[in-house]
């Protein structure tokens, strides 16, 4: 499924478009990440400043399988797959709880039907509930020494 995925809402209006990210999308996707991280993880120290995050996104979009969720011209979500690793899944704060995360994780499973794994921070209780609801199983916990934020994290795996 390398093509755009778009459905219509019950009102007949186009739903948010999911499509492969282009290099030109990197700045907008970085902004989604920055806003989402600040809203969802206010107690977690960010390891890099805004400009470094923007540069990192330029790499992610070209070096990994990256998808954007777009409401018209506006980026509202992102998904990054690196091999069988669900590397990033973030939503603009206003889009949480509206089914967009469900669509992105479904897309990830379609793209990696053999299974997926991911890390999330232990303090991110909503994300942990979300992944558990989508069939991911906790397999490991760390003290945070392996990540740049030095934040305790948890490993989840989905095996079909």
């Amino acid at each position: 499924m390398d093509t755009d995925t778009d459905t219509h809402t019950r009102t007949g209006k186009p739903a948010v478009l999911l499509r492969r990210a282009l290099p030109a999308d990197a700045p907008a996707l970085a902004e989604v990440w920055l806003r989402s991280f600040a809203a969802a993880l206010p107690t977690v120290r960010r390891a890099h400043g805004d400009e470094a995050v923007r540069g990192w996104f330029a790499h992610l979009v070209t070096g990994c399988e990256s998808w954007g969720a777009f409401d018209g011209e506006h980026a509202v979500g992102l998904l990054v797959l690196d091999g069988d690793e669900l590397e990033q899944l973030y939503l603009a704060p206003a889009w949480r709880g509206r089914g967009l995360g469900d669509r992105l994780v479904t897309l990830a499973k379609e793209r990696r039907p053999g299974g997926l794994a991911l890390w999330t921070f232990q303090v991110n209780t909503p994300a942990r509930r979300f992944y558990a609801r989508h069939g991911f199983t906790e397999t490991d916990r760390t003290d945070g020494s392996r990540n740049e934020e030095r934040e305790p994290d948890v490993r989840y795996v989905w095996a079909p």
Side-chain angles (χ1 to χ4, degrees):
M1 178 175 42
D2 286 324
T3 59
D4 299 342
T5 61
D6 188 14
T7 57
H8 286 77
T9 64
R10 290 186 187 139
T11 63
K13 295 179 183 177
V16 170
L17 176 69
L18 305 183
R19 66 166 170 78
R20 286 294 291 266
L22 304 170
D25 297 323
L29 296 176
E31 294 306 316
V32 169
W33 189 96
L34 288 165
R35 289 192 324 268
S36 181
F37 194 99
L41 300 165
T43 63
V44 175
R45 178 190 73 83
R46 275 197 15 229
H48 302 282
D50 292 1
E51 287 309 309
V53 169
R54 291 179 184 109
W56 174 54
F57 263 84
H59 163 74
L60 283 178
V61 168
T62 59
C64 296
E65 183 178 336
S66 301
W67 292 77
F70 297 90
D71 181 26
E73 298 295 313
H74 304 286
V76 296
L78 64 104
L79 168 68
V80 177
L81 300 170
D82 187 4
D84 292 336
E85 194 75 16
L86 195 163
E87 185 66 33
Q88 304 291 320
L89 194 162
Y90 282 85
L91 304 176
W95 284 86
R96 289 181 63 193
R98 296 172 63 177
L100 182 55
D102 297 332
R103 288 181 62 200
L104 287 169
V105 81
T106 297
L107 175 61
K109 288 177 174 182
E110 290 171 357
R111 301 295 297 168
R112 301 297 186 273
L116 286 164
L118 63 93
W119 289 97
T120 192
F121 297 120
Q122 290 181 28
V123 298
N124 196 349
T125 303
R128 293 176 53 210
R129 281 193 308 258
F130 172 82
Y131 291 120
R133 190 173 74 245
H134 285 280
F136 287 78
T137 304
E138 181 180 326
T139 61
D140 194 20
R141 286 179 179 246
T142 78
D143 62 2
S145 60
R146 61 160 283 284
N147 64 56
E148 293 180 306
E149 295 82 4
R150 301 295 180 239
E151 182 72 30
D153 55 7
V154 58
R155 181 89 167 150
Y156 283 91
V157 173
W158 170 73

